[in-house]
Amino acid sequence: MKFSWKAFPLHHQILAGLVLGAIFGALFNVSKYELEIRYAVDGKEESVVVPQWEKLVFAKADTVVIETFGAEDQLRIIQSFRRLSKEDKARLSVLVTPAGTAESTRPQKFENVRGIEKVKTVAVIIKPVGTIFIRLLMFIAIPLVLSSLIVGAASLGDIRRVGKLGGKTLALYLLTTTSAITIGLLMVNLIQPGMRLSPEVLEKLKLEFQPDIQSAIPPINLIDMIVNIVATNPINALASGEMLQIVFFALMIGVSLTMVAEVKAAPVIRFFDGLSETMIKMVGMIMTTAPYGVFALIAATVGEFGFDILETLVWYAATLVLGLILHVAGFLGMLAKLYSGIPIRKLFRGLREVMLVGFTTSSSGATLPVNMKACENNLGVPKKITSFVLPLGATINMDGTAMYQAVAAVFIAQVYQMDLGLAEQLSILLTAVLASIGTAPVPGVGIVMLIIVLRSVNVPEEGIALILGVDRLLDMCRTVANVVGDATVATMIAKSEGVLENKA
Ligand code: ASP
């Protein structure tokens, strides 16, 4: 019998890609010690791999020491090099005393250094395959959100129905987000992960990631955020992928279409309907490459970050993951069962691919097309509902992100030994709802918006440095909760409108 990989259902293939990718990444782990130094000799670029060193020094004009590093400082070396100005780089000499040699031995000297990096392994080199997969999904997201929301809003008939359905959807989104935050706050107060880190670990974490965040924090202001929902130029919003602006624009067009004469409105609606249909077709094609994309993404993540960083922050990560599981399998599962009449097993079976894609891409936006397809085909939510509820949800409903922001804020406060009372925790709840709404559905934005939450209770923003290392991994987990939350609400809305089909 001939073996064919294609004989397995797609979600098994994706799962296999995930597991094999993790193993592959663990096997070809990027070393925590090796450094690749690229430098120029007579205008020609050369490179050398330094496996280990006793001491490494950045010096200016050969003699003035800028910074000295020890054997464990791989990350600090890379970051310090990046932060040097162009002029400093030009005058820099890197003096390396290889491991095992006496202090008195003359160090190796490198000049005209062009770059200092970790040594890439094959697990990291294949990452572009995964990046292409994410980009394929992302490029569908914006035309899909625009077209399906326009058609979704227009097909509801009149503004009162849009208002009614919109109100119901918003209320349910608020309910799931608030529940997620509450569960997160309960967990983090019970487990108190911030009290469990040793002072040495804390010191190391602060040192390693400190420089990274300074550049990552944009100025954030809540009022501006609300004002910003209205684009001054919707075409710009589309071009730069401003999700909230796009949602607002699409809803306004959809609603206005219901007020225009039928002869004029019909072709416009038909056009956007065709566009959204085409985008969904594209997903089917793109998803056949998912196992390879997923393999590459996971291999690169595990290869680059390993599991070590998780070890140090294991209490924090475990608190959040436990909270997410409780919310997704407990609360959302219960809503689906009690309200929509969908058994928990069926819900998760129907959303298998959605969860896998959410996990690996860390992007609700990229997962949206897969989610729409799964809700329609597996859970019996008609297109009329998915096309309105899901694009809206992908943008504003982020249960996982909201919970994460609350847990992270309290965790950081615990580390800094700040006592947060009930009033502060309520303030966290409120700002986490807003911050999660403002979080763009792409990887890694949750941590930037976390700043709003930290500011609301005066927890030091530098605390973000502590959790930056594990963020990639937790981003994957919280995105799963984000997309399952959207799907669950879609089934509830369909049920309440009496249009939920019973798919076996
Ligand atoms: N990656 C998340 C999402 O797209 C957002 C975040 O929490 O960073 O749903």
Side-chain angles (χ1 to χ4, degrees):
M1 206 176 77
K2 214 174 106 222
F3 173 81
S4 167
W5 164 248
K6 295 268 175 247
F8 292 99
L10 187 60
H11 56 265
H12 284 166
Q13 293 179 29
I14 301 178
L15 202 62
L18 191 91
V19 174
L20 293 176
I23 297 173
F24 192 80
L27 285 177
F28 295 97
N29 210 330
V30 171
S31 159
K32 279 189 300 179
Y33 298 103
E34 284 176 354
L35 275 181
E36 180 179 356
I37 303 183
R38 286 185 291 110
Y39 58 101
V41 189
D42 304 329
K44 244 184 54 208
E45 191 164 302
E46 311 236 338
S47 87
V48 42
V49 172
V50 186
Q52 266 178 347
W53 55 93
E54 199 80 41
K55 196 167 103 180
L56 193 148
V57 177
F58 281 2
K60 210 166 24 186
D62 251 10
T63 45
V64 188
V65 171
I66 309 177
E67 217 170 338
T68 306
F69 307 93
E72 303 270 330
D73 292 338
Q74 187 205 45
L75 257 179
R76 268 186 55 210
I77 295 173
I78 296 173
Q79 284 165 346
S80 294
F81 180 77
R82 281 197 198 139
R83 268 180 289 140
L84 289 178
S85 67
K86 230 176 159 175
E87 295 80 54
D88 282 347
K89 276 184 189 161
R91 268 179 297 166
L92 180 77
S93 339
V94 178
L95 309 167
V96 184
T97 314
T101 50
E103 273 275 329
S104 55
T105 322
R106 262 175 80 89
Q108 277 171 282
K109 189 168 90 185
F110 301 97
E111 280 171 332
N112 294 318
V113 178
R114 298 274 164 86
I116 304 183
E117 297 293 339
K118 293 182 185 181
V119 181
K120 291 197 175 70
T121 65
V122 57
V124 178
I125 292 172
I126 58 171
K127 191 174 175 185
V129 177
T131 313
I132 292 179
F133 172 64
I134 296 197
R135 292 178 68 118
L136 280 170
L137 286 171
M138 292 301 286
F139 94 159
I140 302 181
I142 289 182
L144 182 68
V145 169
L146 181 76
S147 55
S148 43
L149 266 182
I150 290 178
V151 178
S155 68
L156 290 176
D158 62 67
I159 186 151
R160 275 208 315 277
R161 282 212 61 202
V162 178
K164 206 170 130 239
L165 199 72
K168 221 162 33 173
T169 309
L170 285 184
L172 283 177
Y173 280 154
L174 221 57
L175 172 78
T176 58
T177 305
T178 322
S179 138
I181 300 174
T182 312
I183 294 176
L185 285 176
L186 285 176
M187 300 301 295
V188 73
N189 282 296
L190 274 176
I191 300 179
Q192 307 218 316
M195 310 285 188
R196 295 174 195 261
L197 294 188
S198 71
E200 300 90 75
V201 168
L202 273 179
E203 209 34 55
K204 196 160 162 251
L205 282 172
K206 280 185 194 164
L207 250 178
E208 280 195 353
F209 293 102
Q210 193 81 335
D212 272 3
I213 49 160
Q214 249 102 39
S215 52
I217 306 175
I220 294 164
N221 170 327
L222 264 183
I223 305 284
D224 286 353
M225 216 173 93
I226 295 168
V227 172
N228 251 327
I229 294 178
V230 185
T232 49
N233 177 349
I235 308 299
N236 262 347
L238 285 170
S240 53
E242 291 290 341
M243 284 312 232
L244 283 176
Q245 296 185 349
I246 297 173
V247 166
F248 181 74
F249 174 56
L251 286 177
M252 291 295 277
I253 297 189
V255 170
S256 310
L257 275 171
T258 64
M259 303 170 185
V260 175
E262 164 92 31
V263 276
K264 303 223 164 129
V268 181
I269 296 177
R270 232 180 309 132
F271 168 77
F272 282 112
D273 199 22
L275 184 64
S276 117
E277 211 47 37
T278 313
M279 291 297 144
I280 302 247
K281 257 279 156 316
M282 251 189 230
V283 188
M285 274 164 20
I286 294 168
M287 283 302 286
T288 57
T289 68
Y292 310 101
V294 163
F295 175 89
L297 286 173
I298 294 291
T301 308
V302 174
E304 194 163 334
F305 301 104
F307 295 114
D308 322 1
I309 185 84
L310 191 67
E311 248 169 65
T312 30
L313 291 175
V314 78
W315 282 104
Y316 159 68
T319 307
L320 182 64
V321 172
L322 205 66
L324 290 172
I325 293 175
L326 275 179
H327 176 70
V328 172
F331 187 72
L332 295 178
M334 185 190 77
L335 283 182
K337 169 111 187 63
L338 295 184
Y339 194 86
S340 318
I342 297 178
I344 297 186
R345 272 190 57 169
K346 186 179 156 193
L347 178 78
F348 291 117
R349 201 162 344 114
L351 296 176
R352 271 186 299 216
E353 271 172 30
V354 176
M355 293 191 285
L356 285 168
V357 172
F359 185 77
T360 36
T361 60
S362 298
S363 164
S364 316
T367 316
L368 173 68
V370 190
N371 208 356
M372 287 176 73
K373 223 169 149 210
C375 284
E376 286 162 28
N377 297 347
N378 308 340
L379 301 178
V381 183
K383 185 159 180 263
K384 207 172 147 159
I385 302 292
T386 57
S387 61
F388 179 79
V389 175
L390 290 179
L392 199 64
T395 320
I396 64 168
N397 181 47
M398 300 209 180
D399 299 359
T401 300
M403 177 191 291
Y404 148 80
Q405 284 160 343
V407 169
V410 178
F411 169 75
I412 295 171
Q414 287 170 353
V415 168
Y416 283 92
Q417 289 168 7
M418 293 171 64
D419 213 4
L420 298 181
L422 194 63
E424 278 101 350
Q425 308 239 2
L426 278 177
S427 167
I428 289 183
L429 191 139
L430 194 73
T431 39
V433 170
L434 293 173
S436 69
I437 291 176
T439 301
V442 289
V445 181
I447 194 163
V448 179
M449 300 302 279
L450 170 61
I451 305 199
I452 297 186
V453 183
L454 295 180
R455 282 195 190 150
S456 77
V457 282
N458 294 323
V459 172
E461 285 155 26
E462 305 84 73
I464 288 188
L466 303 172
I467 54 169
L468 204 60
V470 271
D471 201 63
R472 185 74 188 81
L473 218 70
L474 296 180
D475 194 5
M476 299 164 108
C477 303
R478 64 187 188 244
T479 307
V480 173
N482 291 348
V483 295
V484 176
D486 299 342
T488 310
V489 169
T491 67
M492 294 169 78
I493 296 282
K495 180 77 182 183
S496 78
E497 295 284 303
V499 290
L500 185 68
E501 295 156 30
N502 190 7
K503 294 259 171 172

